[in-house]
Amino acid sequence: MDTDRGASRTERDPRHEPELVSRGAFDLRSLVTSMPLVLRKLNPRDQARNPVMFVVFLGAAVTTVLAILRPSWFSWTVAAWLWFTVVFAALAEAVAEGRGRAQAESLRKIKRDTVARRLRDGRLGDGGVIDEVLGGALRVGDLIVVEAGEVIAGDGDVVDGIATVDESAITGESAPVVRESGGDRSAVTGGTVVLSDRIIVKITTAPGETFVDRMIALVEGADRKKTPNEIALDILLTSLTIIFLLAVVAVGPMQQYAGRSPDPVGLIALLVCLIPTTIGALLSSIGIAGMDRLVQRNVLAMSGRAVEAAGDIDTLLMDKTGTITDGNRRATALHPAPGVPVDELARVASECSLADDTPEGRSIVELCRTSYGVEPVAAAPTVGAARREVVAFTAQTRMSGVDLHDAEATVVYRKGAADALGRWVADSAGTVEPAVLADVERISTDGGTPLLVGVHEAGHPARVLGVIALSDVVKPGMTARFAQLRSMGIRTVMVTGDNPLTARAIAAEAGVDDFVAEATPEEKLALIRSEQQAGRLVAMTGDGTNDAPALAQADVGLAMNTGTSAAKEAGNMVDLDSDPTKLIEVVAIGKQLLITRGALTTFSLANDLAKYFAILPAMFTAVHPQLDALNIMRLHSAESAMVSAVIFNALIIVALIPLSLRGVRYRPSSASKLLGRNLLVYGLGGVLAPFVGIWLIDHVVRFLPGMG
């Protein structure tokens, strides 16, 4: 059984580039289901949020009025295609939002008014009184009991027990995961189902603010804010619109001065064709589709800015345990000190670990039972004539153990970190044998974590019985994925609280560029700030409470869904699959969003420039025959040129909607190569497309009445 969904995700071939092209981005079903939303977006208040398209909206309304007052084929044709332009622009955004709404609707199905069994007095033991309440009545801090087959009624952390949980309603995958107390896999999500055993969950989120509620709001785009780049682009597009508006207003007096009455419908058509309607119509759909592509990969972005920042990150900080390695360290071997039987070491190690309710402590008990035949002692206060006093593990002592008291003396057993237990031995005038120190160094050099087991008998110095080796296992495919990040120009740094020897071994095996050992939460935070002060954008992945400050400070904070609630609250992205290497796809999607926006902006501006030179000669040839030399497309008349340009303007938006939703394919490359490809494909294409398109349309519309 998989205990971590991220492990199953990393088993795929890392050599394959993440596929960033979604299928069915613009199909007939999307069009049909999006039409009601399109009609709502024709509200003038909605249109006013996009200055470029608001000008087109007003132009369509004015042209319609003029066509009613002075009917003509030319006026009605222009009015109809201006309305089509407005509708097609709304359609691009509606399709993008519609896909998010469909995903949100599927998420709502997992929200059920579940009955929860709440511990009335908050006692963890079996003697607690249980009340049955509706999930909506739960409050932060409540303790609920969930057994096999029951639905978890709210978001929280496991504070007692261990169980397998079906999270397919959240992640879409059927493989169950393990949730347990005392580790970084303690967070559970409301709406998921316990498959085995029994856990007690402490509610951490109020009703209406649960993870599923936030998911629904996010995928619907309700909380999406414009990014700084989008705001800057809006300012540019608005400025260009104002400039072209002034230029078109000036064309009227110029026509009158040349002896030709200005045609308001023709001027409106000219304005719509010259302002950057293409990118103005597609800008919102590009941003929404970027967040949608993340959702398709089971990553929730709390803001559009986070997606955009992912495309520009320079440094990636990754927590080791549960991120680069396969979750919790496990005991893999016992190394007795000289003259100490391995059976004695196993017995003492097992006893000392009974009070260590961490995944590592439980793994020691399991190793001693399965490999050395040591059965855990009964949880009774006495053993024979001796009274046992259990000493729990604490972060201050970094040791756990047991004291055996009898009528004659007290025997103290301890298990803990090598440095902490070494000081404990030294405090009683004992020494650690060189062979034990050699085992400690070898285990650390190999990437493991050594724990010492010691005994102190009354009247004698404390001595070390041996070493327990805890091992981290690097997740499959990490080396190849870090190489892929390196090809994107991203520097990877592993941040861990382990000693430098262990950190160096894991970093070398995983293939990261650098590492920081013995890092505290404060040091992680300081490292991110120093990178940011140097002008670099920083991404951080993590799953533990100790990662929360760094996740909050980072420009992109990707929290694992298997992690603690604190980590998920601090990050601006949550990976439902808990695969830290998913950040490669997040970065690629961020870069794809930026490239798509840049490509379509380049195409739109080049498009408008070409239309400018294509239309004006045809408009003024009748007044100034010399300009006919510039009418290289040989357009039939000023009227046919205007109508052809308006029709092309609407159709090019329709043609680019699938690209705005799907995104321009991203391949790791240098900035200069990306810029060159952008200018060649979309710059040159934007110049050529209007000449070809308007010429072809003109050959059709010239036969309509009123085309000159």
Side-chain angles (χ1 to χ4, degrees):
M1 178 182 298
D2 292 337
T3 58
D4 188 298
R5 183 173 291 109
S8 63
R9 280 287 174 135
T10 53
E11 289 172 1
R12 61 190 171 194
D13 190 347
R15 295 171 296 178
H16 293 168
E17 177 186 350
E19 177 60 46
L20 299 180
V21 179
S22 60
R23 298 178 181 177
F26 193 58
D27 53 24
L28 181 60
R29 183 177 180 182
S30 299
L31 293 177
V32 173
T33 56
S34 299
M35 288 311 298
L37 185 58
V38 171
L39 297 178
R40 288 196 293 270
K41 287 186 175 295
L42 296 181
N43 187 312
R45 292 184 179 180
D46 288 335
Q47 293 292 318
R49 292 183 299 179
N50 187 332
V52 177
M53 296 313 302
F54 187 56
V55 170
V56 181
F57 178 80
L58 293 178
V62 172
T63 303
T64 302
V65 173
L66 293 175
I68 294 173
L69 296 177
R70 291 185 297 175
S72 69
W73 274 95
F74 175 70
S75 298
W76 280 113
T77 303
V78 171
W81 280 97
L82 288 183
W83 281 117
F84 285 154
T85 303
V86 175
V87 170
F88 292 153
L91 182 64
E93 187 173 357
V95 170
E97 290 184 6
R99 294 195 304 174
R101 289 173 185 266
Q103 291 165 338
E105 192 61 32
S106 66
L107 288 172
R108 285 193 177 94
K109 294 179 181 178
I110 71 173
K111 288 193 64 180
R112 294 182 285 177
D113 202 359
T114 308
V115 174
R117 296 192 295 144
R118 182 176 60 188
L119 288 171
R120 183 189 303 175
D121 53 4
R123 292 174 55 188
L124 293 179
D126 294 333
V129 179
I130 295 178
D131 293 328
E132 290 191 352
V133 298
L134 292 178
L138 293 175
R139 296 294 178 263
V140 175
D142 285 349
L143 297 178
I144 61 173
V145 178
V146 191
E147 296 186 353
E150 296 180 347
V151 177
I152 300 174
D155 294 0
D157 292 326
V158 179
V159 295
D160 186 67
I162 180 172
T164 54
V165 179
D166 177 9
E167 294 187 342
S168 58
I170 302 295
T171 66
E173 293 191 16
S174 58
V177 296
V178 171
R179 292 293 176 261
E180 58 186 336
S181 62
D184 286 340
R185 290 187 177 86
S186 60
V188 291
T189 305
T192 57
V193 181
V194 172
L195 298 179
S196 68
D197 304 298
R198 173 183 183 271
I199 54 176
I200 296 179
V201 177
K202 182 178 182 180
I203 299 298
T204 58
T205 308
E209 301 175 2
T210 65
F211 191 60
V212 173
D213 289 318
R214 296 203 308 272
M215 288 170 65
I216 292 172
L218 288 168
V219 298
E220 286 184 329
D223 293 339
R224 185 180 178 274
K225 304 295 188 298
K226 287 188 176 182
T227 67
N229 281 347
E230 283 182 303
I231 294 173
L233 187 55
D234 276 343
I235 294 174
L236 172 63
L237 299 182
T238 302
S239 301
L240 290 175
T241 301
I242 294 173
I243 291 172
F244 281 120
L245 177 62
L246 296 176
V248 170
V249 169
V251 169
M254 290 172 60
Q255 285 183 315
Q256 194 168 17
Y257 177 77
R260 184 177 181 180
S261 298
D263 182 2
V265 174
L267 293 179
I268 292 173
L270 176 63
L271 173 62
V272 170
C273 291
L274 296 185
I275 62 177
T277 51
T278 306
I279 186 62
L282 300 175
L283 185 59
S284 295
S285 65
I286 293 171
I288 295 172
M291 296 183 70
D292 179 68
R293 283 192 291 275
L294 279 181
V295 172
Q296 292 175 22
R297 285 154 183 81
N298 278 352
V299 177
L300 294 182
M302 306 304 179
S303 69
R305 186 180 185 279
V307 184
E308 193 168 278
D312 283 332
I313 67 169
D314 305 289
T315 304
L316 166 61
L317 274 62
M318 302 184 77
D319 181 54
K320 176 182 71 68
T321 304
T323 303
I324 294 176
T325 60
D326 262 336
N328 301 306
R329 299 165 296 174
R330 295 192 60 83
T332 55
L334 299 181
H335 302 278
V340 177
V342 69
D343 291 343
E344 180 184 354
L345 173 61
R347 178 184 60 79
V348 176
S350 177
E351 283 207 46
C352 290
S353 301
L354 292 174
D356 183 1
D357 191 29
T358 64
E360 291 85 357
R362 291 195 287 266
S363 75
I364 294 172
V365 175
E366 181 65 16
L367 174 68
C368 294
R369 186 183 66 82
T370 57
S371 299
Y372 301 98
V374 178
E375 293 296 334
V377 296
T382 61
V383 178
R387 181 175 59 86
R388 185 195 315 122
E389 180 182 353
V390 172
V391 178
F393 175 85
T394 66
Q396 291 74 27
T397 63
R398 297 167 65 200
M399 294 187 298
S400 63
V402 61
D403 297 345
L404 295 180
H405 306 279
D406 59 22
E408 298 180 359
T410 297
V411 180
V412 177
Y413 296 112
R414 290 292 183 272
K415 175 217 70 182
D419 55 344
L421 198 127
R423 287 192 297 269
W424 178 76
V425 170
D427 289 344
S428 66
T431 59
V432 180
E433 297 189 44
V436 173
L437 295 176
D439 284 337
V440 168
E441 184 175 358
R442 178 177 53 78
I443 293 170
S444 299
T445 303
D446 291 341
T449 301
L451 297 179
L452 297 186
V453 178
V455 60
H456 187 196
E457 300 173 284
H460 301 278
R463 59 190 177 92
V464 175
L465 297 177
V467 186
I468 304 171
L470 300 179
S471 298
D472 284 304
V473 179
V474 174
K475 292 184 176 180
M478 293 299 292
T479 302
R481 293 213 157 198
F482 284 132
Q484 190 175 359
L485 285 169
R486 200 172 296 112
S487 70
M488 295 179 180
I490 298 173
R491 173 173 167 263
T492 54
V493 181
M494 183 185 77
V495 183
T496 177
D498 283 341
N499 62 72
L501 289 175
T502 301
R504 182 178 291 107
I506 295 296
E509 183 180 353
V512 297
D513 297 319
D514 200 358
F515 70 91
V516 177
E518 298 179 341
T520 63
E522 293 78 11
E523 289 171 336
K524 293 180 185 180
L525 194 61
L527 177 59
I528 292 177
R529 287 174 175 168
S530 66
E531 291 283 326
Q532 291 171 331
Q533 289 171 359
R536 290 183 282 269
L537 290 181
V538 181
M540 167 80 185
T541 66
D543 58 358
T545 302
N546 64 324
D547 297 321
L551 287 169
Q553 178 66 35
D555 299 283
V556 178
L558 180 63
M560 303 294 104
N561 191 42
T562 55
T564 61
S565 299
K568 290 191 288 187
E569 291 288 344
N572 52 20
M573 290 186 183
V574 177
D575 177 19
L576 302 181
D577 295 324
S578 300
D579 176 8
T581 61
K582 183 77 69 64
L583 192 68
I584 295 174
E585 296 181 46
V586 173
V587 170
I589 289 172
K591 289 183 179 296
Q592 185 185 41
L593 186 150
L594 296 175
I595 291 172
T596 302
R597 187 185 298 152
L600 293 184
T601 300
T602 302
F603 184 91
S604 179
L605 297 181
N607 215 9
D608 296 333
L609 181 65
K611 284 184 288 186
Y612 187 85
F613 286 103
I615 298 169
L616 288 185
M619 288 185 62
F620 289 97
T621 296
V623 180
H624 300 287
Q626 302 91 334
L627 292 177
D628 189 59
L630 298 178
N631 186 13
I632 60 176
M633 290 186 292
R634 316 313 302 168
L635 301 180
H636 178 64
S637 65
E639 289 78 8
S640 70
M642 285 285 92
V643 171
S644 299
V646 169
I647 294 175
F648 174 82
N649 206 56
L651 294 181
I652 199 66
I653 293 174
V654 178
L656 292 176
I657 288 176
L659 182 61
S660 71
L661 298 178
R662 185 177 63 244
V664 176
R665 185 180 294 275
Y666 167 72
R667 293 183 179 88
S669 182
S670 64
S672 59
K673 288 184 179 180
L674 290 174
L675 178 61
R677 187 185 69 175
N678 189 31
L679 292 176
L680 178 63
V681 176
Y682 298 97
L684 183 59
V687 171
L688 296 178
F691 285 98
V692 177
I694 292 175
W695 180 79
L696 290 174
I697 296 171
D698 181 76
H699 275 64
V700 177
V701 302
R702 66 174 58 187
F703 298 107
L704 296 176
M707 292 298 115

